[in-house]
Amino acid sequence: MLATSSSVDPQFREDVLRGLSSLPRAIPARWLYDSRGSELFDDITRLASYYPTATETRLLERIMPEVAKAVGAGRTVVEFGAGSLTKTPILLRAVDALRYVPVDISGDYLREAAEGLAGEFPDLDIHPVEANFGEAMDLPDSAHGEKVLGFFPGSTIGNFVPWSATNLLRHFRTTLGTGALLLIGMDRVKPVERLVAAYDEPEGVTAAFNLNLLDRINRELDGTIPVGSFVHEARWNDIMSRIEMHLVATADVTFEVAGRSFAMAAGESIHSENSHKYGPRGGRLLLLAGGWTPIREWTDAAGDFSLILAEA
Ligand code: AVI
């Protein structure tokens, strides 16, 4: 069924039309996450080849006594992009959080996260905030200042190009206030074969996640993109230190989106996501550039993933 024009996010329409008209063609990664995309991303996190989720969860479990010591008890935990129901409880329990403020653009997702945690933490004051965490925002008073711990796991920072990643970190700083702490997950640079295998696995879930963007465009923007004439590709861009996801046309194609016509030649692609990978010093420098002073960094034994604690 076609979405009515009133139910389509005008920003989606604008980003897609601009992205398909520019060269190289690129659409911001946030549009990968409609409800189907979010389900597929959940499936990705359970794939054996997608190491970040399991590695970060194990690392969090291991370092929690040290984090708790560094952070102290009774904090308000503010999670940007709520909420990983596997990772969040580990942190809340270890730091004996008083208050939990999940921030997400999706109200449905927030309600689910809040309900999921309420049973497990009956004494925790849960205060969801429906907002775009990409912008500075007003949070409840308890979520500002020295007793606050921001949490940004999952290497989501990697999906932002460095100039926008530093802007994001500055917004976190403004939102959380001087003296706040931030615990942030960053995926590390590693051999290309492992990186590519994590983003293009034999099960084809990441391919489905990427191709779903074209289905979404067809559904919501009255598109006629021949989805069967596109394939998913994960490319390592060494100079930019990032995995890129592309949707590559396998034949010359023409199609319409929102009443506009487009043509792509075989081999041309639509760039749909960046996932930056950081070395130890690069990750800490990014934090410094965003106004945060790194205090500690922990990595798993293989050096695949790191969690950094920083102070505003
Ligand atoms: C959400 N984000 C951190 C994931 C990543 O690894 O960049 C998104 C993803 N894209 C493909 N697989 C996972």
Side-chain angles (χ1 to χ4, degrees):
M1 195 176 69
L2 275 183
T4 58
S5 53
S6 61
S7 67
V8 172
D9 188 328
Q11 191 65 51
F12 179 49
R13 186 177 184 278
E14 193 183 318
D15 283 355
V16 168
L17 290 178
R18 189 183 313 117
L20 290 176
S21 315
S22 58
L23 283 177
R25 295 174 216 266
I27 296 174
R30 59 186 279 228
W31 302 116
L32 291 163
Y33 298 89
D34 62 351
S35 58
R36 179 72 187 133
S38 301
E39 271 171 28
L40 286 164
F41 176 65
D42 256 16
D43 295 343
I44 289 173
T45 63
R46 283 187 282 273
L47 292 168
S49 55
Y50 189 74
Y51 60 83
T53 310
T55 310
E56 187 185 37
T57 307
R58 278 195 303 269
L59 180 60
L60 268 173
E61 273 162 354
R62 196 196 85 204
I63 67 169
M64 265 313 137
E66 290 167 61
V67 173
K69 213 165 167 187
V71 163
R75 292 245 172 193
T76 291
V77 172
V78 178
E79 181 167 6
F80 296 104
S84 157
L85 290 179
T86 20
K87 292 173 210 166
T88 310
I90 302 173
L91 181 67
L92 294 176
R93 206 171 296 120
V95 304
D96 200 10
L98 281 183
R99 220 159 279 106
Y100 173 55
V101 181
V103 181
D104 200 275
I105 192 99
S106 156
D108 289 348
Y109 205 63
L110 276 175
R111 273 181 288 282
E112 261 174 52
E115 277 164 25
L117 282 170
E120 204 176 333
F121 295 90
D123 297 330
L124 183 69
D125 174 16
I126 303 177
H127 195 130
V129 173
E130 197 170 335
N132 175 4
F133 69 71
E135 288 155 20
M137 68 196 88
D138 288 331
L139 294 181
D141 282 351
S142 64
H144 195 84
E146 285 174 14
K147 293 299 276 178
V148 176
L149 172 64
F151 186 41
F152 195 42
S155 197
T156 305
I157 192 76
N159 296 132
F160 294 77
V161 293
W163 70 263
S164 69
T166 49
N167 280 345
L168 181 68
L169 291 167
R170 280 159 202 263
H171 289 326
F172 286 177
R173 194 178 193 283
T174 308
T175 300
L176 299 181
T178 312
L181 295 173
L182 176 70
L183 184 64
I184 184 168
M186 290 193 195
D187 195 14
R188 286 278 186 95
V189 178
K190 53 185 63 63
V192 177
E193 308 73 52
R194 279 195 63 213
L195 285 168
V196 171
Y199 290 83
D200 191 6
E201 77 295 335
E203 292 90 334
V205 185
T206 311
F209 171 65
N210 198 6
L211 287 159
N212 176 61
L213 176 63
L214 301 181
D215 285 326
R216 179 178 187 183
I217 294 171
N218 282 349
R219 200 173 52 245
E220 294 185 24
L221 299 177
D222 208 1
T224 61
I225 303 175
V227 181
S229 298
F230 284 82
V231 289
H232 161 70
E233 193 180 309
R235 289 181 199 161
W236 173 245
N237 182 332
D238 195 57
I239 193 80
M240 301 287 211
S241 194
R242 69 191 188 196
I243 282 280
E244 296 177 358
M245 292 209 310
H246 289 259
L247 290 154
V248 184
T250 53
D252 293 352
V253 288
T254 55
F255 54 85
E256 293 204 347
V257 173
R260 299 248 306 264
S261 302
F262 297 92
M264 288 176 66
E268 252 193 90
S269 80
I270 304 166
H271 183 175
S272 52
E273 188 185 60
N274 292 312
S275 197
H276 294 80
K277 309 299 171 189
Y278 290 98
R281 294 185 190 281
R284 298 201 290 260
L285 270 175
L286 186 78
L287 280 161
L288 281 165
W292 291 87
T293 306
I295 303 172
R296 295 247 354 224
E297 176 165 15
W298 296 270
T299 58
D300 57 302
D304 282 346
F305 200 94
S306 80
L307 278 156
I308 307 178
L309 184 67
E311 188 175 27

